Amino acid sequence: MSEYPTTPTASTWAARLRGLVRAQWIFALVIGLAWCGEMVLSIDRPDRDAVVLPGLTAMAALAVLARRWPVFCGLAGAVALGASTIAIGYFDADSYSFGLLAVRPTENIAGLAMVVYVFWLRPKRYAIPVTTALVVSCLVALFARTSESYVYASQDASRSVGVGFVELVLAVGTGVYLRGRKPRSDDTPLQALLRRQWPVMGVLFAFLCLELLSGDGVVSTVIVALGGAVLAVLAVLAPLRPSETTMLGAVALATTALTMWITGAGANTWLLGPISPSAIASGMILLAFSTRYAPPRNAVWNGCALVGAALFALFVTPSGDSVRVGDYLSFLFMGGLLLVLSVGTGVYFRARDDERARTVHSAVSSAQQAERMALARELHDVVAHHVTGIVVQAQAAQLVSEKNPQAATEALARIADSGTEALTAMRRLVASMRGAEPAGASQVTEQATTDLEADLRALVQGAQRHSSESVSRAHIDLSVDIRHEIPLEVARSALRVVQESLTNSGKHALDVSRVEVAVTSNETHLHTRVADDGNGTHARPVGGSGGYGLVGMRERVELLGGRFHAGPGDHVGWRVEAWLPLGEQNKEEGAA
């Protein structure tokens, strides 16, 4: 094998690019939407847009790559923006804008993304110069691209500077927030979702602000802004309820169009006629999330409802500009392209989720089978030897017990010693099969008594001592409410679940400050729950560290006819729960 690193191949670079797109697929969808829209619009005027298209493509690509190389991509983006400005001036080409005078939407979105990434992922000594370069290039473009023959949304320079300043503050603030955010144990599921949905909120908020600044009339601007705000909120909440939010989004889009028709307020013409850009982006996001998370039948109905609402809005909403029949054909073509882009994105990530689930299931099954085979082999080679010796010595003791009681007593002593050796070998075998010895309390479950509450307190005290000796110093809260007779095997299984959960929390969770252990019983089940407030975003997959803790707990619980769950907590961290049945044991005891 060569001692020098090999040069990345084409497949390696392709894999890295796919990883970047997957990590920021929502943003890639938005920037792809803007880029595709400008490509379609350039079909009608290739002589005017040809010199700008390479710069737009470069800006879109650099914005996606900025997640990995923010400094380089930010400086390269400033150069690309300046080169496009020079090309427009040299060839006397036209330019149009949306919000920022003469700055293309793709350039605008890409530049904001680069500012967010550089403030998020790099120190300020790099972020400030890169942002300065981008701002200077944007200002040069703002005042140098002076063509007036083809401007879609014209604003004067002062308003454009104000819009740009608002966008810059939002981008810098978002980057600084992401850089300093910490997981919080009091976050609700909604708050955790909002932390993950920052790209959606940032892009849709920017669209709404630009629509407010570029509106022609007060009534139409208010109606479009309210409808866009409702759709934006639904798009942000889509991962929680994909089917419901998509249906509500279709209703909101149709209601906005109907209100515009009743009031007679006209709307500007965009990629899909009078449908606003924020509504287009929100609809695409809703459709992508519905395709990814909703059941297939629901996803189809959701897509039909959203497409139907878009067609209704396209033909019913009054347009402030003159629209010909050919323009409607162009709008329908663009809508089909955006529909394919949204559904394709959702289908891709749905297939990726299914593949990951199958991989995890296969890995767990393989780990279980390998563990069974290794355990059977070790039981035969190690433990069976001691058990055979016990049987032979017991038979010998039976033969000589009547004639030589002293020999029988000695044989019994040897049997006891052999039993101790067999038990020690068994424990060593289990420890070797499970990996490292559990932190803090491995001997507690080995020496379990008939008092489950006392065993749990001993286990927690041992784990607490181990935590105090480490850097994490997590506090463990124990709550026990047992009012029923607990069979011995059920008690041991519950003790094992608590032990292994505390071990996993100490080994794998990050930033754990508190672990809650609750064991309660009712007439039918013993419920065991262990939850921590660690950083769940860094949780490792089952079997990722080479251990079989979750696999062993699940097997132990299911062998007793119980239910087992392990996954992210309600708010933050990781949660393990087990429901062990008591009813069958109680019935058997009563029948006896």
Side-chain angles (χ1 to χ4, degrees):
M1 179 181 291
S2 173
E3 297 180 359
Y4 300 96
T6 58
T7 302
T9 61
S11 59
T12 303
W13 286 111
R16 291 179 179 177
L17 180 60
R18 288 195 299 270
L20 285 175
V21 174
R22 285 196 298 266
Q24 48 184 344
W25 70 276
I26 298 177
F27 167 69
L29 177 66
V30 174
I31 196 70
L33 164 66
W35 183 83
C36 291
E38 299 201 47
M39 294 299 105
V40 172
L41 291 174
S42 66
I43 296 176
D44 294 334
R45 50 197 194 105
D47 55 328
R48 299 178 177 181
D49 279 350
V51 298
V52 186
L53 296 184
L56 295 179
T57 305
M59 289 291 288
L62 290 170
V64 175
L65 297 175
R67 177 70 177 265
R68 187 175 182 89
W69 302 286
V71 175
F72 170 78
C73 291
L75 295 176
V79 173
L81 187 59
S84 295
T85 302
I86 295 174
I88 290 174
Y90 182 79
F91 292 99
D92 195 21
D94 288 333
S95 181
Y96 63 92
S97 67
F98 178 61
L100 292 182
L101 182 64
V103 177
R104 297 285 190 114
T106 302
E107 295 172 333
N108 191 4
I109 296 173
L112 292 175
M114 294 174 189
V115 173
V116 171
Y117 282 130
V118 76
F119 270 95
W120 178 15
L121 303 174
R122 293 295 181 268
K124 292 182 180 179
R125 64 177 181 273
Y126 297 114
I128 293 177
V130 171
T131 303
T132 302
L134 287 169
V135 170
V136 170
S137 297
C138 184
L139 290 174
V140 171
L142 189 67
F143 292 101
R145 301 178 183 181
T146 56
S147 176
E148 301 177 356
S149 60
Y150 202 83
V151 177
Y152 281 168
S154 59
Q155 296 89 20
D156 55 22
S158 60
R159 177 180 291 186
S160 296
V161 171
V163 172
F165 178 76
V166 172
E167 292 180 348
L168 180 63
V169 171
L170 289 174
V172 173
T174 302
V176 173
Y177 164 75
L178 292 173
R179 183 179 184 86
R181 68 173 184 173
K182 299 292 184 182
R184 300 169 58 180
S185 59
D186 57 344
D187 276 352
T188 64
L190 178 59
Q191 290 173 327
L193 174 68
L194 296 180
R195 290 179 183 274
R196 297 195 305 268
Q197 289 285 74
W198 68 267
V200 175
M201 292 187 292
V203 171
L204 295 181
F205 181 76
F207 273 133
L208 289 173
C209 290
L210 295 176
E211 288 172 6
L212 286 173
L213 294 173
S214 61
D216 290 337
V218 176
V219 176
S220 62
T221 301
V222 171
I223 296 175
V224 170
L226 290 177
V230 172
L231 283 167
V233 172
L234 293 173
V236 172
L237 301 178
L240 290 179
R241 299 284 184 178
S243 297
E244 292 83 349
T245 52
T246 305
M247 285 295 185
L248 289 175
V251 173
L253 184 58
T255 303
T256 302
L258 187 61
T259 305
M260 295 284 286
W261 178 74
I262 293 174
T263 58
N268 294 328
T269 302
W270 308 100
L271 297 179
L272 295 182
I275 303 177
S276 64
S278 63
I280 297 173
S282 299
M284 292 185 66
I285 294 171
L286 286 169
L287 195 56
F289 276 123
S290 175
T291 306
R292 181 179 184 181
Y293 293 119
R297 182 186 297 272
N298 293 352
V300 172
W301 284 111
N302 295 338
C304 293
L306 201 56
V307 171
L311 292 173
F312 177 80
L314 176 62
F315 291 103
V316 170
T317 305
S319 177
D321 305 322
S322 59
V323 181
R324 300 168 297 178
V325 176
D327 295 331
Y328 281 108
L329 296 177
S330 177
F331 297 152
L332 292 175
F333 172 77
M334 189 63 193
L337 180 63
L338 299 182
L339 176 64
V340 171
L341 182 63
S342 303
V343 174
T345 302
V347 169
Y348 168 75
F349 283 97
R350 187 186 189 95
R352 181 169 166 261
D353 295 339
D354 294 341
E355 181 181 359
R356 184 189 298 114
R358 288 193 299 268
T359 301
V360 171
H361 178 73
S362 177
V364 170
S365 299
S366 299
Q368 290 174 336
Q369 183 63 24
E371 185 178 9
R372 292 189 187 101
M373 295 300 295
L375 181 59
R377 182 171 55 252
E378 293 297 327
L379 283 173
H380 179 272
D381 295 341
V382 177
V383 181
H385 168 73
H386 296 287
V387 175
T388 302
I390 293 173
V391 173
V392 172
Q393 293 172 12
Q395 292 174 344
Q398 287 178 341
L399 294 176
V400 301
S401 60
E402 296 181 359
K403 300 179 180 180
N404 191 351
Q406 182 64 30
T409 302
E410 295 175 357
L412 291 174
R414 289 192 296 270
I415 290 174
D417 294 338
S418 298
T420 302
E421 293 177 1
L423 183 58
T424 302
M426 177 72 77
R427 290 171 177 170
R428 290 175 180 173
L429 170 62
V430 172
S432 65
M433 293 297 294
R434 297 299 184 190
E437 191 172 332
S442 63
Q443 294 181 354
V444 175
T445 52
E446 301 287 350
Q447 301 174 357
T449 67
T450 56
D451 189 347
L452 177 58
E453 183 173 356
D455 292 338
L456 286 169
R457 296 193 183 281
L459 174 64
V460 169
Q461 289 175 2
Q464 189 70 68
R465 285 194 300 269
H466 179 82
S467 176
S468 300
E469 297 170 359
S470 63
V471 180
S472 59
R473 297 182 180 274
H475 178 72
I476 302 175
D477 285 339
L478 174 63
S479 173
V480 181
D481 185 10
I482 301 176
R483 302 180 182 180
H484 303 82
E485 187 70 22
I486 308 299
L488 181 59
E489 185 59 32
V490 173
R492 288 181 180 274
S493 298
L495 201 60
R496 177 61 178 168
V497 169
V498 174
Q499 177 197 32
E500 190 63 37
S501 300
L502 293 176
T503 300
N504 288 341
S505 178
K507 289 172 60 177
H508 302 299
L510 299 179
D511 301 329
V512 176
S513 61
R514 190 182 190 88
V515 181
E516 296 181 357
V517 180
V519 180
T520 59
S521 68
N522 56 31
E523 295 181 355
T524 59
H525 287 85
L526 177 68
H527 180 214
T528 302
R529 183 179 186 274
V530 182
D532 62 53
D533 62 351
N535 187 348
T537 59
H538 297 284
R540 306 186 65 176
V542 176
S545 62
Y548 303 103
L550 294 179
V551 175
M553 284 190 285
R554 185 181 299 278
E555 287 182 346
R556 179 184 287 267
V557 172
E558 292 179 351
L559 283 174
L560 294 176
R563 293 185 294 115
F564 179 81
H565 169 79
D570 296 332
H571 307 310
V572 72
W574 191 261
R575 184 180 80 250
V576 175
E577 289 187 90
W579 293 264
L580 294 165
L582 302 178
E584 295 297 328
Q585 288 84 348
N586 292 339
K587 289 179 182 178
E588 292 176 0
E589 291 176 2

